[in-house]
Amino acid sequence: MTMMGPIGDEGSSEALLSEALLLYRTAAEVFATVIEDARSGDEKAAREAQGYAREFHKALQTAMQERQKVEQLCKQDAGIAYHYALDFDRARDEVGRRMARLRAAGGGG
């Protein structure tokens, strides 16, 4: 397993999510194999399937929670608030333009 740096590092959150999804896919493949063995009459596999089902469910929940966290961090990094990206340069220009119009309309003093 590769150690990741802090979340602020370039690409670390995406790499972490990618690794989690790879582990999830691997668990799904193992679970599918156990289910096939249980269907073919393997009693041990049938008992193990219940444990794998619980672990698989936990892994799914964890992967989804981590994905939500990564998406939230990506939105924060991009300056997205309430599903809209904030363009501070454009806002600064607009405020400056309006201030200039107010100064011009003010008449002098």
Side-chain angles (χ1 to χ4, degrees):
M1 184 169 177
T2 305
M3 294 297 291
M4 298 290 171
I7 292 293
D9 287 351
E10 179 83 87
S12 64
S13 57
E14 289 85 4
L16 183 61
L17 178 61
S18 176
E19 186 175 341
L21 291 175
L22 175 64
L23 291 172
Y24 173 75
R25 281 191 291 272
T26 302
E29 290 170 5
V30 169
F31 186 52
T33 302
V34 170
I35 288 174
E36 285 300 316
D37 291 345
R39 283 184 179 162
S40 67
D42 185 350
E43 291 181 22
K44 181 181 176 191
R47 286 190 303 273
E48 289 177 349
Q50 292 176 352
Y52 281 123
R54 281 190 296 275
E55 294 300 319
F56 188 68
H57 180 70
K58 287 179 190 177
L60 175 61
Q61 286 180 323
T62 302
M64 296 306 286
Q65 289 170 351
E66 291 304 314
R67 184 176 198 147
Q68 289 173 344
K69 288 178 187 177
V70 168
E71 287 175 1
Q72 184 64 31
L73 288 172
C74 289
K75 284 181 181 181
Q76 286 176 354
D77 288 344
I80 296 175
Y82 303 106
H83 306 292
Y84 296 98
L86 301 176
D87 186 351
F88 290 111
D89 291 331
R90 185 173 176 190
R92 189 179 311 108
D93 292 342
E94 180 68 17
V95 168
R97 186 180 65 76
R98 290 182 185 199
M99 295 282 289
R101 287 178 61 191
L102 287 171
R103 279 193 296 274

